[in-house]
Amino acid sequence: MTSSSGASRRQVLAVAAAAATAPLLAGAPTEAKPKQPKTWDLTILGTSDTHGNVYNWDYYKDAEFDDSKHNDVGVAKLATLVNQIRAERRGRATLVLDAGDTIQGTPLATYYAKQEPITSTGETHPMARAMNILKYDAVTLGNHEFNYGLPLLATWIEQLGFPALAANALNAKTGKPAFLPYVIKEVKLGGHGAPKLRVGILGLTNPGVAIWDKGNVEGRLVFADMVATAAKWVPEMRRRGADLVVISAHGGDSGTSSYGPELPNENPTALIAEQVPGIDAILFGHAHNEVPEKFVTNLTTGERVLTSEPSKWGQRLTRMDFTLTREKGRWRVTAKSATTLNTNTVVEDPAVLAAVRGQHTKTVEYVNRVVAQSSVELSAAESRYKDTPILDFINHVQTEVVTEALAGGEYAGLPVLSIAAPFSRTAVFPQGDVRIRDVAGLYVYDNTLEAVVLTGAEVKAYLEYSAKYFVTLPAGAPVNPETISDPAVPDYNYDVFSGVDYDIDIAKPVGQRITRLVLDGTDTPVAADARFVVAVNNYRRSGGGNFPGIVKPQVYNAQQEIRQLLIDWAQAKGVIDPADFFVPNWKLVREGVPVF
């Protein structure tokens, strides 16, 4: 027998249980879940700074490319990744973009700009051949696209099967865009009957072209600020129906410049994202960094802008993925992400290799020609912190060429100094046969030789600026050659002089480091008002690196490529012997004591 209270409790529990199960037992409807909106997806693949790399090949070593991290290079590797993703996404929208610096950087690219230029042979540029196989949707012009002059650039653009963009490169006379500013691509998001999406792609090149290739663009092109240009064109693209706006920008995201304030910002990608509303994503390049995914919040809208940079030379491929919904006839991005893919995970695409094989083979044959015999091995490994014969080789040739050119003229009585930078840490002239690729490995840029007149005071100021390359190391502190330089200063922005003798005291603050500066082979201090002819490359003379005092009228400019001058000198002499040109004239010290 149970109490009445116990019976009541059981009845309550029974009713509660029945209530809980009644809808299921009676088939009553459950509460309807809200209908999820249909989504579509878009993938954008991005490359940048391929710099003339098609094959996974190191022309300077005449071997397959390899570095300490076992990266691979080349458009042929990129093509395999692109094709894999296109196959994976078959039937869904995939675009492929490039952010510039395409036709300069390897002997392959140089050969078809200098030895057999496409402007005179009618040959299709190897980078056009390779990129056309990939079927890019657009490429942005990088600063190095202007290295070989506007006629060669125009020829290359004509050979492309897709548009080349540069909204901020303006005709100097009309102020109008000299190249196509943007394209709007209409893509179908899926199979039959799927809606279409209009993707606006804006290209921005680097304003530094005005300095770095002044000789090719002065009076012809001017380069507007990248942020202001984006602010002009993004709303225009939206008005013309762009549902999604992507910028392909040849400028890094540091917000700093390697030159002074006279030109617009060199690396403004993050500033563009912050300051210009209406941008969904930015593919960027120029800095050669790997930035898989970085979001920047727009200060006006609060929207997050997706940015990504795919390293250099074809080592990485950026992949951007977008999820979209359609609401009241308008597209809305609900999710976006990015990553970078390593090209060392795939083999080279055979179609790209086949398209460029003949040109690659011809280049390999060319760079393997012997130009001279070296009496000893000469290495650039220590050139950053020691006076080395191999860097003196460059300065000797430059000095000789300028001296001969100015003989008998107004400047013939002035001493000739020369400037060179340690472009490569790995360059070597082996004892015995020296080939074109060895010389090209030492002087990797397509610079031409110029000369200006500097005073003694200007020479000292220049050397002080160059000496900021080194970190400050007090006397007695340990010295490690691997960490002796400031990582913020690239090797190509450290210059050494020949023709004067000087010491760099790395224990002293920047700006006070040139503790001895005397005339060549003497103890006579260089007078502030002394005058010198200084041989220098066109990049530096035009303001590259923002060195003081060097941007002034040339007293010599025969448009001769320095690399070719080195080759010609070696061929004419037949022997490269340090005894003919090595003059130790500078050293690192601390309180007068040599560091090495």
Side-chain angles (χ1 to χ4, degrees):
M1 180 177 247
T2 61
S3 67
S4 59
S5 62
S8 298
R9 185 168 177 270
R10 284 195 298 272
Q11 289 171 348
V12 169
L13 292 174
V15 170
T21 59
L24 295 176
L25 297 172
T30 59
E31 185 178 342
K33 292 183 180 179
K35 184 179 180 181
Q36 294 299 314
K38 182 172 175 56
T39 61
W40 289 267
D41 61 87
L42 167 73
T43 293
I44 296 178
L45 305 178
T47 64
S48 189
D49 295 275
T50 51
H51 280 287
N53 286 281
V54 177
Y55 276 58
N56 184 42
W57 194 257
D58 187 332
Y59 292 93
Y60 306 121
K61 295 180 180 177
D62 196 28
E64 181 177 317
F65 180 90
D66 193 27
D67 64 12
S68 60
K69 297 181 179 179
H70 302 298
N71 288 304
D72 287 347
V73 299
V75 175
K77 288 271 185 170
L78 289 169
T80 299
L81 282 176
V82 169
N83 290 337
Q84 285 180 356
I85 294 168
R86 279 177 170 153
E88 161 203 321
R89 292 183 49 77
R90 190 176 306 279
R92 293 182 289 167
T94 305
L95 297 177
V96 184
L97 308 178
D98 183 88
D101 274 7
T102 303
I103 60 172
Q104 176 277 340
T106 62
L108 173 69
T110 301
Y111 189 88
Y112 288 95
K114 295 288 188 178
Q115 301 303 318
E116 293 187 18
I118 59 172
T119 44
S120 58
T121 63
E123 180 77 79
T124 300
H125 195 283
M127 292 305 287
R129 288 177 181 266
M131 295 177 80
N132 285 340
I133 295 288
L134 265 77
K135 299 180 179 177
Y136 277 80
D137 291 282
V139 60
T140 292
L141 301 183
N143 53 282
H144 282 288
E145 264 65 84
F146 297 87
N147 285 173
Y148 303 115
L150 298 182
L152 187 132
L153 174 55
T155 301
W156 177 67
I157 290 174
E158 290 171 0
Q159 294 174 348
L160 297 176
F162 47 87
L165 311 176
N168 60 319
L170 309 177
N171 184 297
K173 293 180 179 178
T174 67
K176 295 180 179 180
F179 304 91
L180 194 65
Y182 69 89
V183 293
I184 296 180
K185 299 277 296 187
E186 190 171 82
V187 298
K188 186 178 289 188
L189 300 178
H192 179 71
K196 293 179 180 178
L197 177 77
R198 290 167 61 83
V199 181
I201 304 160
L202 177 68
L204 299 172
T205 193
N206 203 284
V209 175
I211 288 178
W212 304 321
D213 272 303
K214 185 176 182 180
N216 291 328
V217 302
E218 189 174 29
R220 301 176 185 180
L221 299 175
V222 293
F223 296 84
D225 181 87
M226 296 170 75
V227 180
T229 302
K232 172 184 177 179
W233 288 106
V234 169
E236 175 70 10
M237 295 162 68
R238 290 289 187 183
R239 281 194 296 270
R240 296 201 174 191
D243 302 305
L244 187 83
V245 171
V246 178
I247 292 181
S248 175
H250 195 77
D253 66 348
S254 67
T256 62
S257 299
S258 64
Y259 43 74
E262 68 276 9
L263 284 181
N265 196 299
E266 178 184 352
N267 296 297
T269 291
L271 299 175
I272 296 170
E274 281 183 350
Q275 298 176 21
V276 181
I279 301 167
D280 293 289
I282 303 177
L283 171 72
F284 68 101
H286 184 61
H288 290 197
N289 292 326
E290 182 178 2
V291 181
E293 178 188 79
K294 182 178 179 181
F295 286 97
V296 179
T297 301
N298 185 268
L299 299 178
T300 301
T301 65
E303 295 290 333
R304 297 201 311 161
V305 180
L306 175 65
T307 72
S308 181
E309 182 180 18
S311 189
K312 62 184 178 182
W313 305 345
Q315 294 178 355
R316 302 290 185 273
L317 175 72
T318 279
R319 175 173 178 162
M320 295 179 172
D321 290 298
F322 302 84
T323 303
L324 304 103
T325 61
R326 194 161 172 80
E327 300 174 355
K328 298 180 181 179
R330 297 176 65 88
W331 287 103
R332 184 170 70 90
V333 178
T334 59
K336 52 189 173 182
S337 62
T339 190
T340 49
L341 307 175
N342 197 328
T343 58
N344 70 6
T345 62
V346 296
V347 298
E348 294 171 289
D349 178 72
V352 172
L353 296 182
V356 184
R357 181 168 288 115
Q359 295 171 315
H360 168 75
T361 300
K362 182 177 285 189
T363 302
V364 169
E365 292 172 352
Y366 170 73
V367 299
N368 276 290
R369 294 179 191 171
V370 175
V371 294
Q373 303 290 311
S374 181
S375 60
V376 294
E377 180 180 283
L378 303 178
S379 169
E382 298 179 331
S383 293
R384 296 173 298 122
Y385 50 87
K386 285 185 182 180
D387 195 346
T388 57
I390 200 166
L391 216 59
D392 270 13
F393 170 65
I394 298 172
N395 274 330
H396 176 79
V397 173
Q398 292 181 166
T399 300
E400 193 174 272
V401 170
V402 170
T403 301
E404 291 176 1
L406 298 181
E410 177 184 357
Y411 304 99
L414 297 181
V416 178
L417 315 183
S418 181
I419 299 171
F423 292 149
S424 171
R425 300 186 183 193
T426 58
V428 174
F429 290 178
Q431 184 175 17
D433 289 347
V434 175
R435 304 174 190 276
I436 287 175
R437 62 181 168 88
D438 300 318
V439 180
L442 171 66
Y443 208 99
V444 297
Y445 295 109
D446 301 312
N447 296 330
T448 57
L449 182 62
E450 301 182 4
V452 299
V453 173
L454 297 186
T455 66
E458 288 173 325
V459 169
K460 186 173 189 298
Y462 192 106
L463 287 169
E464 288 285 12
Y465 183 87
S466 184
K468 71 185 179 67
Y469 174 77
F470 298 102
V471 298
T472 302
L473 289 172
V479 177
N480 181 352
E482 295 307 310
T483 58
I484 199 170
S485 60
D486 183 340
V489 183
D491 293 355
Y492 62 76
N493 274 344
Y494 169 62
D495 285 346
V496 301
F497 268 73
S498 67
V500 289
D501 296 351
Y502 60 98
D503 291 349
I504 304 172
D505 192 328
I506 60 173
K508 293 187 178 297
V510 171
Q512 303 173 32
R513 291 180 163 181
I514 305 303
T515 54
R516 187 177 73 99
L517 178 59
V518 299
L519 296 176
D520 189 23
T522 74
D523 292 323
T524 304
V526 171
D529 61 351
R531 297 173 76 231
F532 302 91
V533 170
V534 180
V536 61
N537 69 56
N538 67 298
Y539 171 82
R540 191 70 82 228
R541 207 281 313 165
S542 296
N546 200 31
F547 279 68
I550 199 72
V551 181
K552 53 178 60 182
Q554 308 101 313
V555 298
Y556 167 84
N557 182 12
Q559 290 292 299
Q560 292 181 290
E561 190 178 285
I562 294 171
R563 183 194 296 119
Q564 192 60 46
L565 290 172
L566 301 178
I567 293 169
D568 292 345
W569 189 94
Q571 286 180 316
K573 295 289 185 181
V575 174
I576 299 174
D577 186 345
D580 294 333
F581 52 80
F582 181 41
V583 180
N585 67 296
W586 68 272
K587 61 183 179 295
L588 300 185
V589 301
R590 289 185 294 187
E591 297 180 359
V593 179
V595 175
F596 297 105

